Amino acid sequence: MQDPSIEIALIGAGTIGLSFAALHLTQNPNCTITIHDTRPDLQTYIQRHLPTYLPENANQEPYLARLSFANELPTAVKNAQIVQEQGPENLEFKVAIWAEIERHAREDALFWSSTSGIPASAQSREMQDPTRLLVVHPYNPPHIMPLLEVVPAPQQTAEAVVENTLEYWRELGRTPVVVKKECTGFVANRLAFALFREACSLVASGVVDVKELDEIVQASMGPRWTVAGPFKSYHAGGGEGGLTSFMEKIGGTVKNCWDASKEDVTANDVSVGGKWQEDVCKQADEAYGVVDTAERDMKTRKVLSAVADS
Ligand SMILES: NC(=O)c1ccc[n+]([C@@H]2O[C@H](COP(=O)([O-])OP(=O)(O)OC[C@H]3O[C@@H](n4cnc5c(N)ncnc54)[C@H](O)[C@@H]3O)[C@@H](O)[C@H]2O)c1
Ligand SMILES: *[C@@H]1O[C@H](CO)[C@@H](O)[C@H](O)[C@H]1NC(C)=O
């Protein structure tokens, strides 16, 4: 039988790196992890923060026993079958580190960048073999959120690299989705920030306040979207005629909303740094103070497990 053990090198262990470490350790009993991060207090930082990402009340020893540290990059990547990078979001950093990783890693190692926006085709600029690199963009926090946007560099990343990447994540029960073009923000953030722009615009117009807008989303699209995305939802909304029929019946309302949205966004100057921003941020501070992410994450896990069970 093939040895199922797999070694993973995590380069950068901040918010995203720790969350990925927890994900691999808890979902993949066959993995060992080596962390490389230039933070001087790395070990105390990890000892303090990683447990908050691991299942509560579980014995954490078996997880931590599969975790080690490497001060030097070559040592970290030398035996790894997967090298996953989540260092600073900075093109020069990523270009330099991939060229170095390539020099020291195994020839069959998969190379994944967690970047939110720097395409693989740009990061691989100084690699000997740019076919090896792709983006695996998580939706924060990845130890909870199932989505991974897999973004190969078109005409560059090898098909086998994409396939092996998808296979790994499917085996872990995650939801990897291939994004066919290296578009700005990929897909999840494009959608999220489109809704966010509209939310800011509606608050800036005085239609609702920050808290009321959140209530509206939490009590409608929020629960719906864990079960059916916008296309399936509106396809269902059209009855037997599906989305075609929905657009025939509701298309006028959709058009009015899209037109009004464009006008309001312009009228309220909803651009980043626009004059609306200070007031909306102040409202968020007053409504929520510092958000308890532990409670948020606990509830999100319950929602996901309810959806998975049904
Ligand atoms: N935070 C998010 O919501 C989010 C979501 C998706 C993707 N990302 C992407 O993940 C990456 C990391 O984001 P983050 O929020 O975890 O940042 P972060 O600042 O929390 O972590 C970055 C880590 O990289 C380390 N580092 C710096 N220089 C290094 C080097 N030369 N070698 C190794 N490690 C080094 C830092 O010490 C730090 O621990 C970015 O590319 C970001 O775009 C972030
Ligand atoms: C771990 O190894 C076992 C035994 O080979 C295998 O059945 C299982 O699918 C592996 N799990 C993962 C997540 O790779």
Side-chain angles (χ1 to χ4, degrees), residues 91-259:
L91 175 64
E92 283 65 44
F93 165 80
K94 305 223 192 247
V95 167
I97 205 146
W98 284 120
E100 193 185 352
I101 289 169
E102 184 186 41
R103 281 196 291 278
H104 300 284
R106 287 167 48 150
E107 265 181 30
D108 61 349
L110 294 170
F111 292 165
W112 298 341
S113 171
S114 304
T115 179
S116 310
I118 305 173
S121 58
Q123 295 190 36
S124 64
R125 216 168 50 198
E126 287 179 14
M127 290 174 73
Q128 299 292 319
D129 180 6
T131 69
R132 302 182 64 183
L133 180 67
L134 51 64
V135 167
V136 176
H137 176 237
Y139 198 81
N140 191 34
H143 69 293
I144 296 180
M145 291 297 182
L147 176 68
L148 296 148
E149 290 179 288
V150 173
V151 197
Q155 256 102 70
Q156 194 173 79
T157 308
E159 191 54 40
V161 170
V162 178
E163 285 309 317
N164 292 339
T165 300
L166 295 175
E167 194 187 326
Y168 179 83
W169 290 113
R170 286 182 186 138
E171 183 72 30
L172 261 59
R174 311 312 276 181
T175 307
V177 178
V178 175
V179 174
K180 295 189 198 70
K181 292 186 177 180
E182 293 181 309
C183 67
T184 302
F186 313 128
V187 176
N189 276 341
R190 284 287 283 272
L191 292 170
F193 292 149
L195 184 80
F196 185 55
R197 176 170 58 195
E198 189 69 359
C200 293
S201 176
L202 287 162
V203 172
S205 299
V207 175
V208 281
D209 65 23
V210 157
K211 222 171 169 174
E212 289 160 344
L213 187 127
D214 279 354
E215 266 176 357
I216 287 170
V217 174
Q218 281 176 249
S220 58
M221 287 92 94
R224 165 65 50 75
W225 285 347
T226 61
V227 181
F231 288 115
K232 191 173 181 183
S233 294
Y234 295 132
H235 187 66
E240 279 182 12
L243 188 58
T244 309
S245 163
F246 176 85
M247 288 309 291
E248 274 162 23
K249 284 187 270 190
I250 315 289
T253 306
V254 174
K255 180 184 182 320
N256 291 343
C257 287
W258 281 354
D259 290 349

Side-chain angles (χ1 to χ4, degrees), residues 1 4 27-30 171-172:
M1 206 184 83
Q27 302 302 309
N28 187 353
N30 306 325
E171 183 72 30
L172 261 59

